[in-house]
Amino acid sequence: MLVFSLIMSMLLAVLQAGPQTGNTASLVGAWEATMPENTKALWIMDDDYFARTYYKADPAEFIGTEGGKWSRQADGTLLITWEFNTNDPGKVGTTERMPINPRGQYLETASASWKRLDDGTPGALRGAWLITGRQLDGTMNTMTPGARKTMKILSGTRFQWIAYNSETGEFGGTGGGAYTTEGDTYTEHIHFFSRDNSRVGASLSFPYELKEGKWHHRGKSSKGDPIYEIWSSRQSLGI
């Protein structure tokens, strides 16, 4: 975890590159950076929530993930409230400021230049979603998210799911990468997977439907098991 600790200490340092510019620019979408030791970084930002993950592509290696809620302050900095942080679970529930410097298609932090991958388009599922239903033995069981959450956060081209406890800092797993929506088909291309690096490189397609603001997700899991899940937007749940 030395690499992850180095990355985080650099990310939270005060920017020395000059005054903030473009403070009104939207940050929603996906951003990518190359970090020390060939580490890749993916940063997905929705209107109120974000997830950031560090991994290596070849050979595949998951390094760490972190995220939670964010808001833009008058001085351009981000106000972050941590909901999950695999490197430092003790930060969960705390709030801190993060200096940033948007420059067109790049987002500068103290450690890296993040290149914009998308602005929240073209995928149809952009947003932060929490699982609220799962079918078991033919019966749909409703779920009410509390401290234990399973969240999917999607930009226009990138996705990540995370299972975590936003009170205790317990981490259950994560995976993510690129996605597309074509017709009624949602396809994932896995770039990182915390539980099993051998899953990296796989592509999975699922029928999907948006019904009354909820995402109905059907198909087979990466293990081949049938699944039917319902996901609700965090904004609609007020969580």
Side-chain angles (χ1 to χ4, degrees), residues 4 8 11-12 27-31 42-54 64-72 78-85 91 94-98 100 107 114 127-129 151-155 159-162 164 174 234-235 239:
F4 191 84
M8 284 312 303
L11 278 171
L12 298 177
L27 301 179
V28 169
W31 305 80
L42 174 66
W43 191 352
I44 301 176
M45 300 187 76
D46 189 42
D47 295 319
D48 303 297
Y49 309 96
F50 79 99
R52 196 165 50 199
T53 298
Y54 307 91
T65 191
E66 63 199 6
K69 300 178 181 179
W70 71 277
S71 61
R72 196 80 172 277
L78 299 185
L79 189 66
I80 301 293
T81 299
W82 298 106
E83 290 191 337
F84 55 94
N85 190 313
K91 285 189 174 182
T94 68
T95 299
E96 61 188 53
R97 287 180 179 266
M98 179 181 294
I100 60 170
L107 179 60
W114 299 76
W129 306 82
M151 179 173 73
K152 280 188 177 182
I153 184 167
L154 295 90
S155 66
F159 82 97
Q160 183 177 351
W161 65 266
I162 318 101
Y164 63 98
T174 191
R234 291 197 64 168
Q235 285 84 355
I239 297 176

Side-chain angles (χ1 to χ4, degrees), residues 89 130 228:
L130 294 176
Y228 179 10

Side-chain angles (χ1 to χ4, degrees), residues 10 29 32 34 80 108 124 129 154 185 205 216-217 237:
M10 295 172 70
E32 183 179 59
T34 299
I80 301 293
E108 309 291 341
W129 306 82
L154 295 90
T185 300
S205 293
H216 291 249
H217 176 75
L237 295 171

